[in-house]
Amino acid sequence: MPDNKFTVSAQFEGATDKEKPTDVALYAFDAKGNFLGSAPLDKGPAPLALPANATTQAVRVFVGPRLDEGVQPTPALLQRLGAVEDRRLLDPRNPKLQVNIPTPIWKLWPICSCVVRGHVVKRQPQPDGSVRDLPVCHTRVTICEVDRLPFIIMRLPDAIAFRLRDELIKEIVRPLPVLQPVPPVPPLPDPPPILRLAPNAAAGAAVVPKAASAARPPAAPAAAAPSVGLQSFDLKTQMSLNALARTTSAPELRTRLADLHLVIRPLLCLWEWVHPWFFTRVDCLKTVNVDENGRFQTVIKYLCAGDKPDLYFKVEQLQGGVWKSIYAPPIPCHTYWNYNCGSDVTIVVTDPSAIACVPQDPVVSGEATWVMPYAVGGTVIWGSPPSATPAPNGRVRTDGFTDYGGISGAPFGSLLGFRMGYSNNITGSAAIKYFRWSYRKAGDAAWTQMDLPVSRHYVKTVPGAPNPIISFPTYQLGPRTVGAQTNLYEFKPPAPPLPTPPDPAGTTTAWPVDNWFDDIYAAFLDTLALPGTTLASAGQYQIRLEVFGPSGDVLTPGAGTFRFIVPTTIDPDNTVHTRQATAAEMDGNAFVFNLQIDNNKCEAEIFPTSAGATSVADACGFLRYSPGDSFTLAFTARHPNDRATFGFSVVRGMTGVPAATAAGEVAGPTVGAYTRNASSRYSGTFSQVQLLDTCVNAAFAESLVVNAKVTNGWGRLGGAYDKAALAAFALAAK
């Protein structure tokens, strides 16, 4: 059926021709809020075409500020912008439609622009104990606006308004502990847009949420606090709170609560009972794509005469061609009230399924063409610098060990991934084509080439309706044989494989702009498969990196080919500073560095406690002692190569026994009160007072944990490498 055509206009009460607002439009919706059509009203009457069936039902007509192109009109959005609504039953026989706009309304219509910007990240712990924010790209952010608190409060039912008043007074008059927030593990979803301030604390003192402060004293009864006297509030707020406590009229109560919305706002996250009343309507304004660095930016509109918008964010990520929600936290705790336009919003995603991008870090080098052996997992290579400066924590030391997280001299084990960087001009170079990683144990003459497959994902887009089909195949860099050389790997080519049959016409392929799939490794070494027993395979290894031309010819580093460079310092923004490789790091044409490998497991055993010469408990499990007896505790905390730490604790009943507790390196000759012998057995002798204190008879528990230092470059492996033991004994006087 053909559309019905109307002519629409707006009459602005009390406005002269010079005062009439510009950028005004009319928007029509059906009774369910479905958009029907719009017409600009900037230059007087304008044509409006509506579906034929619109004349058989009531039509909601809004006149207000004109929306930007691409913004989907909704009744809620137009209401937020102060549009005037008129409901009409349209008659095609009377095609002229005029809406009258009262003076107080159209004078509020100047619209301001608000720049909304931010970035989406996922936090990745690093081997040195720091945390790095990695961008989460291939995502889109939906920006929503939450109803303003005064507007919501004025709509509350009487019973809810009075309860809100009572809960507010309870929170203010009760003594609140002044605590500094402790960073949890994992971190909070993002830095909270609001901080709860203790009204009776010094200005700016933060208080942890209710869930983390359960030890707070119970609230005083309302009768015990007829007025609210809080010196941290200004005088006007104090007077409003005192008046609020005495209010009995529901309309007056709502008005006073609305005036105190800035005091109420930080507490909403704590009051789950009120959430259904405060967060029933959230209008999503825009959805914007995030770039490869996890950043987004857009502009939204709001009434200049009103407050800044209250914003809430949701994030989706494209996974397997489907948009998946990875960030939609509770609205009360994650609304940016009165958002400061232009400020940067950091959205920290903790959803385990979210895939972080690993962008290439900028590298500062004086070389035009370079190859950089970079890291083992996340542990950056230090090499053998000219000054012989010791490696910082979190680096592969010159001797092949690493220090991280308070652990010194840790070896590497399990499956290791080797990372390298190279200058952009190597991609697609006619002179530099391949690389190869090899290893050998210190003292051996022959090198063994690493030969596990290494691939790179690329994006294939197949046209389709209603949406294209996106897949992520892989391109294998190696291993491959070139001429007389085996186990060579290709530097990533400038473009991935082209579409091939049966790919339909219009299919495209491209490399991702980032390492979304964690395609960060250039070689792998399964250290568990090294020759010999686990004990025999442990030790120092040399790792070698070579570079080859297109025919498999070994390239010699130099001014005319390329240089090996080594990372020195890394800035907070992950810019990598480098140095040229030294002669001590070269083996012919190859770069070489040391790596300590040790997959040995720990041992833990607790021995029976002895009292004097007796070390066997009776049939009831008690060890009988005489006055003057001392007690000997013994245990084995062992690692075949002393590359572990241990902790031994003794508990009497429910009380720890500090004198008998010890922790340290398994290699230590003495740790606490214990002495180690050649077989890693520790023993210590204690008096009756040290163990029993004032008890005559007592039961004890012993706990021993031995932790291997071994790492895969990202963190301590633990698990099957660690060992633990538990034991118990009881002492009774004869």
Side-chain angles (χ1 to χ4, degrees):
M1 297 178 63
D3 291 343
N4 288 316
K5 300 185 182 300
F6 297 86
T7 300
V8 296
S9 61
Q11 177 66 38
F12 302 96
E13 293 181 0
T16 65
D17 289 340
K18 292 184 179 181
E19 291 178 320
K20 288 182 180 179
T22 58
D23 292 332
V24 178
L26 179 145
Y27 299 90
F29 302 85
D30 65 18
K32 295 182 179 180
N34 298 310
F35 179 60
L36 300 176
S38 64
L41 299 178
D42 304 60
K43 300 178 181 179
L48 173 68
L50 297 178
N53 61 359
T55 60
T56 64
Q57 56 182 309
V59 176
R60 300 176 67 183
V61 176
F62 290 82
V63 175
R66 186 166 60 185
L67 303 178
D68 290 341
E69 185 176 352
V71 176
Q72 177 63 35
T74 65
L77 175 58
L78 292 166
Q79 287 172 349
R80 290 182 186 279
L81 295 178
V84 171
E85 179 181 0
D86 192 1
R87 295 185 182 239
R88 300 285 183 92
L89 185 61
L90 300 182
D91 185 354
R93 296 171 297 180
N94 184 15
K96 292 186 177 181
L97 174 63
Q98 179 174 299
V99 179
N100 294 322
I101 315 299
T103 301
I105 295 179
W106 64 261
K107 285 191 174 182
L108 298 175
W109 277 357
I111 299 299
C112 286
S113 296
C114 179
V115 176
V116 182
R117 61 164 58 98
H119 58 292
V120 184
V121 301
K122 188 171 185 179
R123 289 185 169 151
Q124 173 68 50
Q126 300 297 296
D128 62 359
S130 64
V131 177
R132 179 181 177 187
D133 283 352
L134 297 177
V136 183
C137 48
H138 302 284
T139 58
R140 61 187 184 188
V141 176
T142 299
I143 304 167
C144 306
E145 188 172 7
V146 178
D147 272 342
R148 290 178 173 84
L149 287 185
F151 179 70
I152 300 173
I153 292 172
M154 295 302 294
R155 297 187 314 214
L156 291 177
D158 292 355
I160 299 301
F162 277 102
R163 182 178 177 184
L164 179 64
R165 186 269 307 274
D166 296 341
E167 293 291 338
L168 175 62
I169 292 175
K170 287 180 183 179
E171 287 289 342
I172 292 174
V173 301
R174 71 179 61 185
L176 296 176
V178 181
L179 303 174
Q180 294 300 322
V182 178
V185 179
L188 287 172
D190 59 27
I194 58 174
L195 284 178
R196 176 183 172 197
L197 300 181
N200 59 341
V207 177
V208 296
K210 180 178 288 185
S213 57
R216 183 173 55 191
S227 65
V228 181
L230 295 163
Q231 46 202 335
S232 62
F233 288 124
D234 58 43
L235 181 60
K236 181 180 178 181
T237 303
Q238 291 182 42
M239 294 176 64
S240 297
L241 288 166
N242 284 322
L244 180 72
R246 297 189 295 268
T247 300
T248 57
S249 165
E252 180 185 353
L253 177 68
R254 278 189 285 269
T255 300
R256 292 191 180 279
L257 286 171
D259 291 341
L260 290 166
H261 69 277
L262 293 179
V263 179
I264 295 171
R265 179 193 298 169
L267 299 170
L268 290 177
C269 181
L270 305 177
W271 295 334
E272 295 184 4
W273 63 271
V274 83
H275 295 174
W277 299 98
F278 273 74
F279 303 100
T280 55
R281 197 176 84 171
V282 176
D283 295 317
C284 293
L285 311 178
K286 274 188 178 182
T287 297
V288 295
N289 291 324
V290 171
D291 66 17
E292 63 270 19
N293 295 312
R295 294 197 165 271
F296 63 92
Q297 179 171 311
T298 189
V299 176
I300 63 173
K301 304 291 187 180
Y302 69 100
L303 282 174
C304 299
D307 294 332
K308 296 286 183 66
D310 303 321
L311 299 184
Y312 169 77
F313 300 88
K314 298 186 291 186
V315 182
E316 299 169 289
Q317 186 173 51
L318 186 64
Q319 297 182 4
V322 177
W323 288 103
K324 179 182 178 182
S325 174
I326 58 172
Y327 181 84
I331 296 171
C333 306
H334 294 82
T335 294
Y336 289 75
W337 302 101
N338 204 23
Y339 169 71
N340 183 17
C341 295
S343 62
D344 199 63
V345 174
T346 300
I347 299 175
V348 181
V349 177
T350 58
D351 188 326
S353 68
I355 304 173
C357 304
V358 187
Q360 296 294 336
D361 295 327
V363 176
V364 177
S365 170
E367 306 297 333
T369 305
W370 50 265
V371 175
M372 177 177 63
Y374 180 63
V376 182
T379 305
V380 178
I381 296 165
W382 183 248
S384 303
S387 61
T389 305
N393 279 357
R395 296 293 192 96
V396 180
R397 297 181 344 195
T398 303
D399 61 3
F401 290 106
T402 185
D403 304 331
Y404 66 94
I407 296 176
S408 176
F412 291 79
S414 191
L415 180 65
L416 302 179
F418 295 88
R419 298 166 60 189
M420 59 183 262
Y422 48 90
S423 54
N424 290 332
N425 59 350
I426 287 181
T427 301
S429 168
I432 302 175
K433 183 74 172 179
Y434 303 104
F435 60 90
R436 181 170 65 197
W437 292 77
S438 308
Y439 67 92
R440 70 180 177 188
K441 194 171 184 181
D444 292 347
W447 292 92
T448 301
Q449 300 163 1
M450 300 185 195
D451 59 2
L452 294 178
V454 174
S455 298
R456 295 289 182 265
H457 286 81
Y458 62 96
V459 182
K460 177 186 285 189
T461 304
V462 178
N467 299 309
I469 300 171
I470 301 175
S471 60
F472 304 96
T474 59
Y475 174 77
Q476 188 165 313
L477 301 181
R480 60 185 65 180
T481 299
V482 179
Q485 303 290 349
T486 58
N487 296 315
L488 299 189
Y489 294 77
E490 183 181 3
F491 287 97
K492 191 174 80 172
L498 295 173
T500 56
D503 294 329
T507 299
T508 61
T509 59
W511 293 118
V513 294
D514 49 66
N515 292 317
W516 186 29
F517 292 92
D518 281 346
D519 290 345
I520 59 177
Y521 297 111
F524 298 97
L525 174 60
D526 183 2
T527 65
L528 295 171
L530 291 173
T533 64
T534 304
L535 181 59
S537 65
Q540 187 181 78
Y541 285 74
Q542 292 181 310
I543 308 298
R544 182 175 69 168
L545 174 60
E546 303 168 275
V547 178
F548 299 84
S551 301
D553 46 316
V554 180
L555 298 181
T556 301
T561 53
F562 75 98
R563 298 280 192 187
F564 281 115
I565 62 174
V566 186
T568 54
T569 59
I570 302 176
D571 292 342
D573 66 354
N574 296 314
T575 298
V576 181
H577 297 269
T578 63
R579 61 173 174 81
Q580 191 179 128
T582 65
E585 295 168 316
M586 300 300 296
D587 177 42
N589 298 320
F591 179 88
V592 175
F593 66 97
N594 294 318
L595 197 67
Q596 293 282 348
I597 295 175
D598 193 339
N599 285 295
N600 283 285
K601 299 178 180 180
C602 299
E603 300 173 26
E605 183 179 3
I606 299 175
F607 300 100
T609 300
S610 63
T614 304
S615 60
V616 179
D618 64 19
C620 296
F622 283 90
L623 183 61
R624 306 290 174 172
Y625 70 92
S626 301
D629 280 349
S630 58
F631 308 101
T632 300
L633 277 58
F635 58 89
T636 290
R638 183 177 182 273
H639 182 278
N641 293 309
D642 290 340
R643 293 166 185 165
T645 61
F646 78 91
F648 180 71
S649 63
V650 179
V651 176
R652 180 183 62 250
M654 300 291 290
T655 305
V657 182
T661 297
E665 302 262 352
V666 298
T670 60
V671 179
Y674 298 91
T675 302
R676 175 185 183 234
N677 66 14
S679 60
S680 295
R681 174 169 172 155
Y682 290 84
S683 61
T685 301
F686 304 91
S687 68
Q688 293 180 18
V689 172
Q690 287 177 305
L691 286 192
L692 290 164
D693 197 11
T694 60
C695 299
V696 176
N697 303 322
F700 297 82
E702 298 170 286
S703 173
L704 173 63
V705 177
V706 186
N707 293 324
K709 297 180 178 181
V710 63
T711 176
N712 61 357
W714 292 107
R716 198 181 71 83
L717 292 176
Y721 291 88
D722 296 342
K723 192 69 174 178
L726 293 172
F729 65 95
L731 297 179
K734 290 182 179 178

